[in-house]
Amino acid sequence: MNIVIIGAGVAGLSIGWRLLQAGANVTILERAQPGGGATWASAGMIALAAELETSPPAEVSFAYQSNDLWPSFAAELEEVSGHPIGFARSGALLLGNDGAMLASRATADPALTFLTAEDVRGRWPMLTGEYSGGLWAPNEAHVDNRALGRALTIAFLKAGGSLKPTEAVVNIFDYQGRIVGVSTPYTRYPADAVLLAAGAWSGQVADVPVTPVKGEMIALTPPPGEDFDFAGPVIWGPDVYLVPRGDGEGGGRLLVGATVEEAGFDTALTKGALATLRARAERVIPRLARWKLDEHWAGLRPASPDGLPLLGPWGDKPGLFVASGQYRNGILFAPAIADLMAQMIQGKAEPIAAFDPRRFNKDKTS
Ligand code: GLY
């Protein structure tokens, strides 16, 4: 079976890797560089409690399933690629100013423990900022997303995949009623199945309802001699998250994110976002005012109209699949999407109804 995947982000690479393991021939065509889009720009969070609070049950259950897959996915990937990816089950601390709401969430969810402000400061003395309590979520994790992109690229190539960077797909073509390949400015690639996994750019390749949502982020480093636990938890404060990046490349930094803005494909860095992110972070950890700005960047999240991913067949001709619209959860969902989509493309699994891209086909014809 010959598969062409459009997009070498965390989704395209991990699905391609699983398809190679299943015996398929896989070519990935990437408009820029592998792992260089939202995979590179994200904070690498494997976040359940903070980002899924308003999600429907199907998304919550998929998130829990993927979170459970992460430790073995990370171990397998590190072993195959020989490249550490910094997976850390560090837990997350969600700070807030509505103590009653925090306590009721902890009552409703046995995975969460309510902490008073005094409990929080007792455990994490640097958190001297403004909050009235917190939730401790021990099952949350994070991964070095930039290392993840590189490791997946290595694993994909080692498994025999073909990867074509800087080669954008300009057409998906069909013959006798089914999709039979894609073309780029250089050549045609015949395929038994084509998977569109181009993140925020998916809607530019085919008529899928996926649009970019910009996020600006910064990374801070401590002044010389300042003690900070970079193995500590991810911290969520009002409108901000703080991700400690420990060992390895890019270690010893605190990532601060992120803005959420519909700005098309604009990834310009703004002074306003920088000031806002710093101010929000300092409200949680005031001493961050003395930390140095190490990096400021922006990325584009792939968003669908209902906020849920598109995972399954697309269009009126068989042979085209889409894995996109992960929005804020591309890293979290990666292992579950890899397994589900690899199975589906081989005809061994059906889409999950809530994520079936054809829910948007119906809207168009009704
Ligand atoms: N998942 C982090 C973000 O979307 O900002």
Side-chain angles (χ1 to χ4, degrees):
M1 194 178 192
N2 285 320
I3 316 288
V4 165
I5 297 178
I6 306 167
V10 64
L13 286 165
S14 50
I15 298 164
W17 183 37
R18 289 294 186 231
L19 284 166
L20 290 163
Q21 291 172 325
N25 297 315
V26 185
T27 299
I28 301 185
L29 300 163
E30 164 55 49
R31 55 180 287 285
Q33 293 300 314
T39 304
W40 175 87
S42 80
M45 283 184 295
I46 299 163
L48 298 167
E51 291 201 298
L52 298 165
E53 201 185 340
T54 56
S55 295
E59 191 176 32
V60 173
S61 131
F62 195 63
Y64 273 80
Q65 182 194 329
S66 203
N67 186 46
D68 287 346
L69 290 171
W70 252 105
S72 57
F73 181 80
E76 182 186 357
L77 183 56
E78 288 191 339
E79 190 183 330
V80 168
S81 67
H83 195 79
I85 61 168
F87 173 77
R89 184 71 91 200
S90 60
L93 177 65
L94 284 62
L95 301 174
N97 286 309
D98 183 344
M101 192 271 286
L102 293 169
S104 87
R105 274 192 78 185
T107 307
D109 185 346
L112 302 175
T113 305
F114 175 72
L115 301 174
T116 64
E118 291 67 39
D119 295 334
V120 172
R121 286 188 190 117
R123 278 174 77 169
W124 296 282
M126 78 285 193
L127 295 173
T128 55
E130 299 162 23
Y131 55 88
S132 65
L135 291 171
W136 171 237
N139 296 328
E140 316 262 317
H142 61 99
V143 64
D144 181 341
N145 46 296
R146 296 181 183 177
L148 171 67
R150 281 194 292 279
L152 278 169
T153 303
I154 295 166
F156 176 79
L157 292 172
K158 275 192 172 173
S162 170
L163 176 59
K164 309 280 180 188
T166 61
E167 192 163 345
V169 167
V170 291
N171 191 28
I172 299 171
F173 60 89
D174 57 273
Y175 180 68
Q176 294 187 339
R178 68 168 288 123
I179 300 299
V180 291
V182 304
S183 56
T184 73
Y186 312 119
T187 189
R188 279 189 161 210
Y189 292 87
D192 300 305
V194 172
L195 169 68
L196 176 57
W201 289 265
S202 300
Q204 302 229 306
V205 183
D207 182 24
V208 292
V210 174
T211 49
V213 177
K214 180 182 180 183
E216 288 188 54
M217 286 193 65
I218 57 173
L220 302 174
T221 51
E226 174 136 349
D227 196 26
F228 190 85
D229 180 14
F230 285 103
V234 172
I235 298 161
W236 291 79
D239 296 319
V240 73
Y241 53 78
L242 309 172
V243 183
R245 194 58 94 228
D247 297 336
E249 216 176 302
R253 309 198 305 169
L254 188 68
L255 313 187
V256 181
T259 62
V260 179
E261 190 189 352
E262 290 188 20
F265 288 91
D266 170 29
T267 52
L269 305 181
T270 64
K271 286 186 180 150
L274 171 58
T276 301
L277 290 169
R278 279 207 86 129
R280 288 178 183 167
E282 287 165 24
R283 274 208 292 275
V284 180
I285 308 182
R287 74 183 203 199
L288 292 179
R290 297 190 294 116
W291 287 37
K292 185 170 151 290
L293 178 70
D294 190 57
E295 191 182 348
H296 179 189
W297 68 96
L300 299 172
R301 309 172 180 94
S304 73
D306 60 9
L308 297 177
L310 287 83
L311 304 174
W314 178 251
D316 55 3
K317 298 183 184 70
L320 177 60
F321 296 82
V322 59
S324 190
Q326 297 92 329
Y327 192 40
R328 304 190 78 150
N329 299 311
I331 304 287
L332 164 64
F333 287 161
I337 287 182
D339 289 351
L340 176 67
M341 291 308 304
Q343 292 286 314
M344 215 187 293
I345 290 166
Q346 294 172 84
K348 296 179 182 169
E350 290 297 316
I352 294 168
F355 308 149
D356 190 334
R358 293 169 294 189
R359 67 193 187 274
F360 296 114
N361 284 353
K362 273 189 242 135
D363 288 350
K364 277 188 194 162
T365 52
S366 59

